Structures are given as C-alpha cells and as structure tokens.
Amino acid sequence: ILPPVNNDLEKRISDAFCVFDHHGDKFIDVREVGTVLRLLGCVPTEEEVNEVISATESEETSGEVHLTKFLPHVSQLLMERKMEPAPPEKILQAFKILDPENKGYLTKESFGKLMMEEGEPFTQEEMDEMWPVAIDPISGHIPYEFYLNQLMVAM
C-alpha cells in the first residue's frame, strides 16, 4: 500500500513513474529508471542511473523498481538539486574551451570525436539525432552559440 502523494514534487515523480508502469502494479523495469529521471528534467550519468537502480531495486523481484522505494529516494535527489542540467553559461564556457582560436564554431569531425570518445561517450545513434540540430547546413560546422540557443529552446 502506498502512502498518499503529499506534494507537487512527489506527484511529478509518481506521474512520471506511472507512465512506465505498464501493468498498473507500481513496478517498472530497471531499464526505465534513466528514462523516468530524464522525464523529470534530470540529466543523469549512467553511473547516477545505476546508483538510483541499486538504491531502489526491489529485493523481492529482481530487475524491477517499486514506487514506494523510488519516490522517497528520487524526491531527496531532486530536493538536493542532483542531476540538474548544466546552465547555458557553463555549456558555452565549455564550447569556448574547445575553440581556442575563438572561431565561434567547431568542426563536425573534432566535436564528433570528442563526443564519442571522451567522458560518457555518445552512441552513433545519439550522434545521428544530434547532427541535424547542431550542424549548420551551409558551412558544415557547429556554430556553438546558435546550437546552444537551439538546445535552450527545446528545453
């Protein structure tokens, strides 16, 4: 039995969770945890997703997460402002570090290599989704201030 959802944050978490509760039993597959977090506006790393899974996975039914464990855990993470997206200023600063000549753009080749090989690498599928928004069709480069503005509009 679930305690009543008693605030807006818990309601948002519960609503996002229930989108993936395909059987109506307040369980979701652990593979949906990252998607639920992203639906809540979080930007978790794979490590953070795995930490949430470890903390909330059901002991009785392996591979599933129950809302009663997920709700308080994720509520706490969100109240602590964990997994928030970086502010636009910080993203712009990062782009400028990658552009030491201050050209205002990155090449598809250099940016693609970084995105697929550094930090938490993107998959080819993720890159294919990103390119149409990131690349200027005329120059073939990534004008990062424009790209960043496109990302902010999408959020």
Side-chain angles (χ1 to χ4, degrees), residues 76-146:
Q76 187 65 39
L77 291 175
L78 295 181
M79 286 188 293
E80 293 171 2
R81 304 183 98 54
K82 304 279 186 184
M83 301 182 282
E84 285 191 334
E89 302 77 32
K90 191 169 185 169
I91 298 171
L92 181 58
Q93 189 179 12
F95 274 120
K96 287 184 174 184
I97 289 170
L98 298 174
D99 179 21
E101 296 167 20
N102 206 22
K103 297 180 286 192
Y105 67 86
L106 303 174
T107 66
K108 178 182 177 184
E109 295 71 29
S110 67
F111 190 58
K113 184 172 171 41
L114 281 170
M115 295 299 291
M116 291 185 74
E117 295 177 5
E118 300 294 327
E120 193 163 320
F122 273 36
T123 64
Q124 186 59 53
E125 183 181 344
E126 290 168 323
M127 296 302 292
D128 292 343
E129 285 179 28
M130 182 183 75
W131 290 140
V133 178
I135 297 173
D136 172 36
I138 296 167
S139 70
H141 297 311
I142 299 147
Y144 51 81
E145 285 198 49
F146 179 76

Side-chain angles (χ1 to χ4, degrees), residues 6 8 11 34 70 97 99 104 108 129 147 149:
N6 58 13
D8 289 342
K11 178 158 179 26
F70 188 81
I97 289 170
D99 179 21
K108 178 182 177 184
E129 285 179 28
Y147 176 51
N149 287 331

